Amino acid sequence: MALKNEKRTDPIVALLLLLTAIMLVVRMIAAKTIGFGDSEALYATYALHPQPAYLDHPGLVGLFASSLGGGTIPSPQAAHVATAALATMFPWLVVIVARQMGAATRAAAAAGLIVAATPEIGVGLFAMTPDLLLAYGWLACLGVTAMALETKPDGPRAPALFGIAGVIAGAAATAKITGVFLLAALGVVAVAEARKRKNIWPVAAALSGLVPLVPVVRFEVAEHFPMLRHRLMDTQHGAGFSLRNIGALVGGQFVYVSPVILVVVVLVARDLIKRRNDDAMSKLLFWTFALPLPPLVVLCAWSRVAEPHWLAPPLLALPIHAARRASEWTLPRRLLDAAAVTGLLLVFAVHAWILQPSIVRTLAPASYDPRVDITNELFGWPQAVHTTQELMEEADAAAGVHLDTWVVGPSWMVCAQLAANAPLAKIGCATDARSDFDDWAPRARWEHADAIIFVTDDRMPMDPAKIAPNFFVERTERVSVLRGGRIMRTFRLSLLQKRILARHVVAPPHRGGRLCTTGGAG
């Protein structure tokens, strides 16, 4: 006979547990199926070149990639197994922080459920990117700061916790530079707490957040600020406030956050602003929301290369605030249900599009252009790299010696994918705009090679003879990648040899194009 006072799992908690299990299974399937996206491939190559900062981001993501790869570039599968686990557990970190700030279990679980259903979390955090590390650092800082605010004025516990929170915020800024706004918000909270406690220790401890940034700042100064110049100058051609940028920012939120969850965001943000001075926790959530958001909105409205997900970290304060306020103020149940359902539909639709090639065949419209579908980045590179290696071996065999052969691409995207999928090859990058490859493998090195395998795809049709005029185009191979019966991408691989060397080498016969099926059944 069951005891009358037996505790049962709350339905919301049970639903979050079920969703966690489903998402973990789906993500593990994806981890075994897909390769790196273009940006992921770039971050993976950081593992071979450890440094405090790169052109796009500070160096923490490079350390993360190196740790996953045991000191070298991790395989896509190894990286994605780790990120799948981290992405799946992230909503539970929201639950833990909300509970730490006083929310009831049911309300905290509901907040975690909405976060899990948000596409930029449910889809975006699967990737091995600085955003994953920043998200964890942002929430961890909120949780530790909340613990510091709850401590008694006397004793060493509060300064120690503020110091830990500062280090976490500083580490978050070494993942993505926008983490400096979290550090600034922590400083505002620490100053207010110092005034309340009438001692300087909260501020002094929070300043420990500057320590993780010291290597980044020293590197930037020594190298004449390459990351800042790249982010704020070199990539900002045509920048300026425009309706196009504002439209991309607003429209992006409908996709990244989803329409109904966006309505919830607006309602909760209004309540947080209204209740910002209720208590110390409300002030903490307000400042980590309100201080970073305006400069990020301005930056997105000004820059043509800004991305909608840049606004995500400040929004993490909102589900926690909603969970804390659930006993006094709550959103309509139908609105929350609709938010969760629509968000999850988008999340699973993206996973289905990636993992089920038949959907591409049946649902893609006649106007579908695979070149602009970023999910196609995830497929085909192993086949292209395999053909590249065959061309290198055949060039050596034809010459009768081991040639100094470099693999060269026309953009950082191609170069990163080549480096991530062929870590032992010599990779060069023939770009007009500066990339990290210009430091790792300057043009002067690969221009003096014996042979070059020039790799590009149909997104970037380029004449290799113009890229390397001192080389002779011996022959070109094509590798087409099928998904759902459609050609998603065609790689073009050209063997280039020095003109002097080419006179003495008999080229093997042309083998024609290759057709590869990937992404499941074709």
Side-chain angles (χ1 to χ4, degrees):
M1 180 181 295
L3 296 176
K4 292 182 178 180
N5 61 350
E6 179 183 1
K7 293 183 178 180
R8 295 184 179 180
T9 303
D10 185 280
I12 301 297
V13 176
L15 188 58
L16 182 56
L17 285 168
L18 177 61
L19 179 61
T20 299
I22 293 173
M23 288 304 301
L24 182 60
V25 170
V26 171
R27 287 173 174 138
M28 287 301 176
I29 293 172
K32 301 294 184 181
T33 305
I34 64 176
F36 284 132
D38 291 345
S39 294
E40 280 187 294
L42 179 62
Y43 307 142
T45 62
Y46 290 172
L48 292 180
H49 308 279
Q51 55 194 62
Y54 304 89
L55 291 185
D56 286 296
H57 295 290
L60 186 61
V61 69
L63 292 176
F64 181 63
S66 179
S67 67
L68 295 179
T72 188
I73 293 177
S75 67
Q77 291 75 24
H80 288 150
V81 165
T83 59
L86 290 171
T88 304
M89 292 308 301
F90 185 76
W92 288 98
L93 184 57
V94 173
V95 175
I96 292 171
V97 175
R99 291 283 292 128
Q100 176 63 41
M101 292 191 179
T105 300
R106 181 183 178 86
L113 192 60
I114 296 296
V115 169
T118 304
E120 61 188 346
I121 301 296
V123 177
L125 287 196
F126 174 78
M128 186 184 67
T129 65
D131 300 276
L132 174 62
L133 305 178
L134 177 62
Y136 264 87
W138 200 286
L139 271 187
C141 180
L142 284 178
V144 175
T145 305
M147 294 171 63
L149 293 173
E150 289 180 334
T151 59
K152 297 179 180 179
D154 299 329
R157 180 175 169 82
L161 289 171
F162 271 110
I164 294 171
V167 170
I168 293 173
T174 66
K176 197 167 185 177
I177 198 62
T178 49
V180 297
F181 294 123
L182 174 64
L183 192 57
L186 177 64
V188 172
V189 173
V191 168
E193 194 65 14
R195 290 176 178 173
K196 176 182 176 182
R197 301 186 181 214
K198 298 181 180 180
N199 68 63
I200 198 64
W201 282 112
V203 177
L207 289 174
S208 63
L210 298 176
V211 175
L213 291 172
V214 170
V216 178
V217 173
R218 291 182 61 184
F219 178 85
E220 283 288 290
V221 171
E223 300 295 327
H224 307 293
F225 304 99
M227 181 175 63
L228 290 182
R229 283 191 289 105
H230 178 76
R231 278 299 195 178
L232 299 179
M233 297 174 61
D234 296 345
T235 59
Q236 300 301 335
H237 301 296
F241 295 104
S242 67
L243 291 178
R244 178 262 178 202
N245 294 347
I246 295 172
L249 171 63
V250 175
Q253 301 312 309
F254 281 93
V255 176
Y256 281 73
V257 180
S258 83
V260 185
I261 294 180
L262 192 59
V263 173
V264 175
V265 164
V266 173
L267 294 176
V268 177
R270 288 177 56 190
D271 189 73
L272 176 58
I273 294 170
K274 179 181 177 181
R275 313 291 299 196
R276 63 187 180 276
N277 291 319
D278 279 6
D279 53 31
M281 300 299 173
S282 297
K283 291 178 182 178
L284 170 62
L285 293 173
F286 171 76
W287 284 111
T288 58
F289 164 75
L291 189 150
L293 195 61
L296 290 174
V297 168
V298 170
L299 182 60
C300 289
W302 173 76
S303 173
R304 292 182 63 87
V305 297
E307 299 183 44
H309 69 266
W310 290 3
L311 304 188
L315 302 184
L316 291 173
L318 301 180
I320 298 172
H321 173 72
R324 295 185 70 240
R325 289 273 289 141
S327 61
E328 303 173 11
W329 172 84
T330 187
L331 295 164
R333 176 63 183 271
R334 290 185 178 179
L335 178 62
L336 293 177
D337 290 344
V341 170
T342 54
L344 287 173
L345 285 175
L346 286 173
V347 169
F348 284 106
V350 173
H351 282 86
W353 180 265
I354 294 172
L355 298 178
Q356 290 295 324
S358 59
I359 294 179
V360 179
R361 180 174 59 246
T362 57
L363 296 184
S367 59
Y368 172 72
D369 185 353
R371 292 175 299 177
V372 299
D373 183 351
I374 62 174
T375 64
N376 289 326
E377 298 173 6
L378 306 172
F379 302 101
W381 283 103
Q383 291 89 340
V385 168
H386 178 72
T387 304
T388 299
Q389 292 170 338
E390 288 184 343
L391 286 175
M392 295 172 67
E393 293 170 1
E394 291 171 4
D396 287 351
V401 296
H402 179 66
L403 300 176
D404 178 28
T405 302
W406 283 70
V407 183
V408 177
S411 77
W412 68 265
M413 295 179 288
V414 172
C415 300
Q417 289 282 12
L418 292 169
N421 287 278
L424 299 181
K426 298 178 180 178
I427 307 297
C429 217
T431 58
D432 295 329
R434 186 187 175 197
S435 72
D436 289 300
F437 290 91
D438 292 312
D439 295 325
W440 302 336
R443 180 182 288 263
R445 292 179 62 187
W446 56 263
E447 281 186 332
H448 288 86
D450 296 329
I452 289 174
I453 309 295
F454 185 78
V455 181
T456 187
D457 60 42
D458 41 18
R459 295 174 300 170
M460 293 158 279
M462 299 184 71
D463 183 0
K466 295 181 179 179
I467 298 297
N470 294 328
F471 287 76
F472 173 79
V473 180
E474 190 70 48
R475 72 178 190 278
T476 297
E477 294 279 350
R478 287 176 173 79
V479 178
S480 294
V481 179
L482 287 177
R483 287 186 65 217
R486 295 190 179 202
I487 295 179
M488 291 295 106
R489 186 156 294 174
T490 298
F491 298 94
R492 189 176 68 179
L493 302 90
S494 299
L495 172 60
L496 283 67
Q497 292 181 327
K498 282 273 181 71
R499 294 187 182 277
I500 296 176
L501 181 64
R503 298 193 189 106
H504 306 286
V505 175
V506 178
H510 177 66
R511 294 166 297 177
R514 298 151 184 230
L515 200 61
C516 302
T517 301
T518 187

